[in-house]
Amino acid sequence: MASALALVMLGSPLVAAKRVKASPQPLPVASSLSGSYLSGRSALLAQDLAAASNYFTAALQRDPDNFYILDRAFVTSLANGNVTAAQLLAERILAEDRDHFLAQLAIDVQRIHEGNFNADMTSTVAQNVNPLSHLTFALVSAWEKAGQGKTEEAIEDLTATTGANWFELFINFNAGLLAEYNNNPRQAAEFYKAAYEIDRGALRNALSYTRMLAASGRQQEALDIIAEYEQLIPGHPLLVTLREKIESGQVIERVAKTPAEGLAEALHGLGIAVSKEGEELSANYLQLAIYLNPNNDSALIGLASLFEQLGDNERAIKYLSAVSDNSPMKRETEIQIALHYNILDNLEEARAHLEKLVESDPTDLEAITSLGNVLRGHSLFKEAESSYNQGLGTINEIQANHWTLLYFRGITRERQDKWEAAEADFREALTLKPEQPMILNYLGYSLVDRGLKLDEAQKMIERAVRLRPTDGYIVDSLGWVYYRLGRYEEAVEKLERAVSLRPHDPIINDHLGDAYWQIGRKLEARYKWNHARDLEPEAEDLARILDKIENGMKDAVPVGLASSADNK
């Protein structure tokens, strides 16, 4: 899932980040077989799984014997969460192709969901030469046997499974799940330890291992591992909750209380792992995981993250909203819901969500900061500043990781023309993070724009460019510094580079147009201004750009000459 910080640290250095309506747009109704089919293809290219499912289903109704369309209707229906409809299509697919991996999986999952564990999975596992399908059905078979009361045999079969190098991680983790289901925490701890040592970067592995250490009476070892992770990701809700549970001596409950819940965990893990292979396949696994266990909060969060990547913020909100109220991740998901509403340009819902969180816990720094960021993104700078003030007021001792609060508050103060207070915030943030290019860029740009401390400002921005040479906004800042200093040829060079990095930013194109004008390339200047106009700048910027298109520019007076007394 995206963090609050990632959503707010975009945008031109002195302009509030532009809000983007990222959800897929409705596609037209198709009235023919070819129209439905082509519309389905277009929807897939647009990464709109809901529309793709609807179009391919409509196409199938017009051509029910077309196996390719049947396959597309099945896969997109499953990825879209229409699991029952997908299972009906899976039966039709298997009537023609018994080797169809996903169709067989959908039917097996349906059977286990219904509590039917009587199928013999041996041949299904053996005949699948594709590594992913081979491992998947080995896991299905293991939970099938667990449902038959043969959990120890299931563990033996699973650990005997051979295949690709990456199998080892999943086999050990799921053997741990099976041992945990079988009320054998010591055995589970050994399997989880093996998975943990293969991939210590996966929090899921660390949490599972520490849970079983605690369940088998090794509480201090578990707490030591948690302490290591809390150094890396302080305050993570899952770590905090588990630590408190262990410290208070609470019973560590099993993750999987039924075979269906165990298989859901297995499919969730594979669904996250295959996300790099494509969103459609990842969605298939995650949707089946939720079908098996609608209370699998991790799978819900995984699906929300997937739909966020697809640009479908409304679907992301739907899955995040389904996370259970008693989940340690509930507050974090509520924050993310608010940020999705913000991307949808629904300030009222975004603000209401965050204000409710802050009201329920006035010390929740993440919620307070997110509220400030949302308000700042809508140019409500005075209210955003109040949020940042509240956030800073919750901190007993400013640490290096608090630089963002000072930086964001500095932006709100600068936008309210409270320059002395803004500069103080930027400089304090810079003492916490001396090599942070965002701070160097914003402070340097602001100083140049005011004709203040030009040598220092130029060095700041040049340093920011060295730290982040492919950031179009920062390169634009350096070009604009050169422009303001009257070094127009150098400005053109940097601004052309900035445009190549951020070709669709109206302000950067506008800046390049200004620089072209000053070196006599007036036809190109008007071309860039017209392009900037077409890129939908903010209203204030649009008025200025239109005036230049109509009337051109006067010769610029370099700030170094206009305010030379300040450059000391």
Side-chain angles (χ1 to χ4, degrees), residues 400-415:
N401 62 304
H402 297 133
W403 71 268
T404 54
L405 269 173
L406 291 160
Y407 171 70
F408 294 148
R409 188 175 70 174
I411 293 174
T412 64
R413 288 174 164 179
E414 183 273 333
R415 296 305 301 268

Side-chain angles (χ1 to χ4, degrees), residues 240-436:
V240 171
T241 301
L242 181 55
R243 174 171 50 76
E244 291 175 348
K245 185 174 288 190
I246 294 171
E247 288 174 341
S248 65
Q250 294 181 48
V251 174
I252 305 297
E253 296 182 350
R254 293 178 295 171
V255 167
K257 299 180 180 65
T258 66
E261 290 180 359
L263 183 56
E265 278 294 314
L267 296 179
H268 161 237
L270 286 173
I272 297 299
V274 301
S275 61
K276 292 182 180 178
E277 304 301 317
E279 290 88 353
E280 186 180 286
L281 181 60
S282 178
N284 289 157
Y285 275 86
L286 292 171
Q287 294 286 12
L288 288 173
I290 290 172
Y291 170 75
L292 285 165
N293 181 9
N295 298 317
N296 189 319
D297 291 330
S298 296
L300 289 166
I301 292 170
L303 263 178
S305 178
L306 185 147
F307 278 99
E308 177 186 349
Q309 293 171 38
L310 295 175
D312 192 341
N313 290 280
E314 291 175 347
R315 291 293 293 280
I317 290 170
K318 171 188 171 183
Y319 289 113
L320 290 172
S321 299
V323 171
S324 58
D325 290 339
N326 60 357
S327 168
M329 296 299 294
K330 185 61 176 179
R331 288 186 70 86
E332 174 63 27
T333 60
E334 287 296 314
I335 290 172
Q336 294 305 317
I337 288 170
L339 296 179
H340 284 299
Y341 276 124
N342 189 50
I343 294 172
L344 291 168
D345 224 5
N346 189 337
L347 172 60
E348 183 178 348
E349 283 288 352
R351 185 172 187 169
H353 259 77
L354 292 169
E355 287 179 342
K356 183 178 179 181
L357 288 172
V358 173
E359 182 180 354
S360 65
D361 182 2
T363 66
D364 186 340
L365 189 56
E366 185 176 1
I368 293 168
T369 304
S370 297
L371 177 58
N373 292 337
V374 166
L375 295 170
R376 179 172 57 85
H378 289 265
S379 301
L380 299 171
F381 299 116
K382 183 176 180 180
E383 294 168 77
E385 182 186 0
S386 295
S387 286
Y388 297 135
N389 286 338
Q390 182 179 351
L392 288 163
T394 68
I395 300 169
N396 293 325
E397 183 178 350
I398 296 287
Q399 304 289 334
N401 62 304
H402 297 133
W403 71 268
T404 54
L405 269 173
L406 291 160
Y407 171 70
F408 294 148
R409 188 175 70 174
I411 293 174
T412 64
R413 288 174 164 179
E414 183 273 333
R415 296 305 301 268
Q416 296 176 80
D417 293 323
K418 297 157 69 171
W419 173 244
E420 289 186 5
E423 183 178 8
D425 278 343
F426 291 137
R427 291 194 181 277
E428 186 176 356
L430 204 56
T431 63
L432 299 174
K433 282 285 183 181
E435 295 298 299
Q436 220 308 317

Side-chain angles (χ1 to χ4, degrees), residues 480 483-488 513-522 525-526 529 547-548 551-559 561-562:
W480 197 239
Y483 179 91
R484 296 281 284 161
L485 293 172
R487 296 160 60 176
Y488 301 124
D514 291 1
Y516 278 154
W517 184 274
Q518 297 302 333
I519 63 171
R521 295 164 63 176
K522 297 186 177 180
R526 280 201 164 88
W529 292 331
D547 181 69
K548 287 187 289 189
N551 303 310
M553 294 180 69
K554 297 179 181 179
D555 292 338
V557 179
V559 293
L561 298 177

Side-chain angles (χ1 to χ4, degrees), residues 28 31 73 100 120 165 191 245 283 319 397 401 463 508 517:
S31 57
H100 195 291
D120 181 5
N165 292 336
F191 284 124
K245 185 174 288 190
Y319 289 113
E397 183 178 350
N401 62 304
R463 200 157 106 225
I508 298 176
W517 184 274

